[in-house]
Amino acid sequence: MTDTELRVSKIQSGTVIDHVSAGEALHVLKLLGIDGTGGTTVSLGMNVPSDRLGRKDVVKVEGRELSDSEAEVLSLIAPEATINIIRDYDVVEKRRVERPEEVGGVLVCPNRECITNAGEPVDPTFAVLDDGLRCEYCGEIVREDITAHLRD
Amino acid sequence: MRHDHLLTAKQLSRADIETVLDRAAAFDDDPEAASERYADTLLALCFFEPSTRTKMSFETAAKRLGGDVVDMGSVESSSVKKGESLADTVRVVEGYADGIVLRHPKQGAAKMASEHVDVPVVNAGDGAGHHPSQTLLDLYTIRERAGLDDISVGIMGDLKYGRTVHSLAHALTNFDVRQHFVSPESLRLPRSVRYDLHEAGAQVREHEDLEAVLPNLDVLYVTRIQRERFPDEDEYEEVAGEYRITPETLDAASDDLAVMHPLPRVDEISGAIDETENATYFEQAHNGVPVRMALLDLLLNDD
């Protein structure tokens, strides 16, 4: 076990999201809908040294395994992330995140004139571009600060 | 052409466009040719924003095909005023009509509507987004006046919010057209349209002054610079005069230049242009009927 891993406690079962871009850990929690009120045990390491990234964040979530759709959206804000599924203190699955072709239901379109912001029964859906996201309804392109558009 | 809906000009290939324009030309030559083809066919006009030309030309087109229309009427007199969603409105209208022509102030409204109904939806303008049926009549007009290949088209005015501009720019990428966009910095094409033009490998230049590019143009497509978009009246006055077409402006243009405008115009084209050979905007508006006849013919035909 490395020094970095020792900075935050081991978990018995759940998910360790490693190699999150430095400073993005809180956005990862927001993406997962974790705000501290649900009782989920969470350990965070922020700006810890990383051979691969220089600095990185690590998020450990007790008692919860990330779904495939959560992993897809995670790729948008933490493209270098690795997901480790832990059961009884052992890593039973380890994978890199993969960018999907589109994501739906987790982001809000920043264009106030988009139909997805008009109270209609429609899930905002975004095509994933090489360098951003594009609303499938109004065409708005989001390149910067994607996490600012996560749905509450 | 086989599409269930017409939502944006981006979905149209060159072959699709040529199919519509060729059929429109046939209707233009012989308006009676299909006068009974769509008897018993009803088209629903759902206009959540004011419209004169688009609405009337769709109505005329439907009737010239032997069909009829049902009109939602004004928003003020509809259930929308009671808080009904657009999704519910179109689901109800689907039960009445064989196709829906939708104008709505929100971008993406037609796409969303199309996901809730099984009848064809035609986007007749969605906010600052798209207006593809206007583009088809624009292309028809350009083809008649200048052809659609090896030409230079200037598009001038409010490029940021002008939906007719966005749709036309997309559609022109199907042809060998050099596109010159002329606008104040504050009203440049939106990032999403520039992205698409880049992806399509379009020949595009952006300018703030018409002067330099005007002599090379075959078509000048003018749109209204919208006063209400400017935070400062003085700022509007400063640029508005720069984007007004007068007979003097055209001194530097080719004699064959076609001056187009989706209408309504305010003062961006001087009335003195109307009687010149350059004025093409009323002919353009007239073309709305045969082009929309052709479009409806292709969308409503089950064969």
Side-chain angles (χ1 to χ4, degrees):
Chain A
M1 184 174 291
T2 66
D3 283 352
T4 298
E5 285 170 313
L6 284 170
R7 286 174 197 272
V8 289
S9 61
K10 285 188 76 171
I11 62 174
Q12 182 180 1
S13 297
T15 305
V16 175
I17 306 166
D18 199 358
H19 302 105
V20 174
S21 312
E24 294 290 337
L26 296 177
H27 291 133
V28 170
L29 291 183
K30 184 177 179 186
L31 167 70
L32 298 178
I34 295 172
D35 63 4
T37 62
T40 307
T41 301
V42 176
S43 307
L44 290 186
M46 296 182 75
N47 292 309
V48 297
S50 163
D51 289 341
R52 179 140 61 94
L53 302 178
R55 295 273 166 185
K56 68 176 182 178
D57 290 358
V58 183
V59 178
K60 299 188 176 188
V61 183
E62 188 83 50
R64 177 165 166 184
E65 296 183 6
L66 238 60
S67 69
D68 289 344
S69 62
E70 287 172 328
E72 284 186 343
V73 179
L74 179 66
S75 73
L76 305 178
I77 57 177
E80 300 292 330
T82 48
I83 296 170
N84 302 281
I85 304 297
I86 313 293
R87 291 178 195 151
D88 284 335
Y89 298 103
D90 285 333
V91 177
V92 296
E93 183 185 340
K94 183 170 187 145
R95 59 193 158 102
R96 298 283 291 269
V97 295
E98 289 180 13
R99 286 171 76 80
E101 289 187 3
E102 69 169 35
V103 291
V106 291
L107 297 163
V108 173
C109 181
N111 178 4
R112 285 180 300 172
E113 297 306 313
C114 177
I115 193 69
T116 60
N117 290 319
E120 294 287 340
V122 57
D123 256 346
T125 309
F126 292 81
V128 178
L129 311 175
D130 289 341
D131 56 351
L133 300 171
R134 181 170 212 186
C135 176
E136 300 270 38
Y137 288 87
C138 72
E140 183 85 359
I141 293 176
V142 184
R143 288 212 174 100
E144 302 86 18
D145 203 10
I146 288 169
T147 53
H149 307 299
L150 284 172
R151 193 146 78 175
D152 287 332
Chain B
M1 177 173 151
R2 187 72 192 102
H3 295 292
D4 293 332
H5 312 282
L6 179 60
L7 305 177
T8 78
K10 278 195 288 184
Q11 75 187 75
L12 296 172
S13 66
R14 180 179 180 127
D16 289 336
I17 293 166
E18 288 176 340
T19 299
V20 175
L21 302 195
D22 290 347
R23 193 162 300 196
F27 286 137
D28 213 0
D29 287 344
D30 183 6
E32 299 299 314
S35 61
E36 296 302 324
R37 195 191 299 239
Y38 289 94
D40 303 324
T41 299
L42 271 179
L43 189 66
L45 305 178
C46 298
F47 280 66
F48 291 76
E49 276 184 340
S51 168
T52 305
R53 281 154 300 281
T54 303
K55 190 173 177 181
M56 287 186 70
S57 64
F58 267 111
E59 181 168 359
T60 307
K63 289 180 174 177
R64 288 228 184 271
L65 290 170
D68 208 340
V69 298
V70 284
D71 187 342
M72 182 184 87
S74 69
V75 168
E76 284 66 31
S77 64
S78 73
S79 291
V80 177
K81 204 65 180 169
K82 300 174 188 169
E84 184 177 59
S85 68
L86 172 62
D88 278 2
T89 300
V90 294
R91 276 184 284 209
V92 170
V93 171
E94 176 189 25
Y96 305 153
D98 304 294
I100 296 173
V101 179
L102 177 70
R103 171 168 291 188
H104 197 276
K106 295 293 182 184
Q107 289 172 239
K111 174 176 167 53
M112 189 212 70
S114 73
E115 292 166 355
H116 287 86
V117 298
D118 289 327
V119 298
V121 172
V122 177
N123 181 4
D126 58 344
H130 302 274
H131 195 354
S133 70
Q134 173 72 39
T135 287
L136 288 167
L137 72 92
D138 293 340
L139 294 174
Y140 184 83
T141 310
I142 293 171
R143 189 171 81 165
E144 293 226 306
R145 289 293 291 245
L148 277 170
D149 284 308
D150 192 23
I151 59 169
S152 291
V153 175
I155 304 179
M156 186 178 84
D158 180 356
L159 310 183
K160 185 174 183 179
Y161 299 103
R163 57 193 172 202
T164 64
V165 169
H166 305 161
S167 288
L168 181 59
H170 284 125
L172 288 175
T173 63
N174 287 293
F175 302 91
D176 177 18
V177 174
R178 297 170 290 281
Q179 298 194 54
H180 295 271
F181 294 98
V182 184
S183 75
E185 171 69 22
S186 58
L187 294 176
R188 283 178 69 199
L189 281 176
R191 177 159 71 176
S192 59
V193 178
R194 279 187 275 129
Y195 176 89
D196 285 330
L197 296 179
H198 176 74
E199 288 288 294
Q203 308 171 68
V204 170
R205 298 281 300 274
E206 293 185 270
H207 315 264
E208 286 196 43
D209 298 315
L210 176 63
E211 207 172 277
V213 69
L214 181 62
N216 303 319
L217 297 181
D218 300 289
V219 173
L220 175 60
Y221 191 97
V222 183
T223 66
R224 182 171 71 92
I225 291 192
Q226 300 169 85
R227 185 187 296 256
E228 62 274 21
R229 306 290 188 197
F230 285 79
D232 184 285
E233 180 72 15
D234 290 341
E235 199 181 319
Y236 164 76
E237 293 294 345
E238 197 173 304
V239 300
E242 298 292 315
Y243 297 90
R244 188 169 293 138
I245 304 300
T246 66
E248 292 71 37
T249 314
L250 297 189
D251 285 346
S254 152
D255 290 344
D256 298 328
L257 176 74
V259 178
M260 298 175 62
H261 193 300
L263 304 177
R265 69 172 154 172
V266 182
D267 58 1
E268 56 276 10
I269 299 177
S270 154
I273 302 292
D274 295 1
E275 303 308 319
T276 69
E277 293 292 316
N278 306 108
T280 313
Y281 26 93
F282 293 118
E283 174 187 334
Q284 184 185 352
H286 161 86
N287 290 335
V289 172
V291 169
R292 288 178 171 124
M293 286 174 73
L295 176 61
L296 293 177
D297 188 27
L298 291 160
L299 285 176
L300 296 174
N301 195 334
D302 289 333
D303 297 341

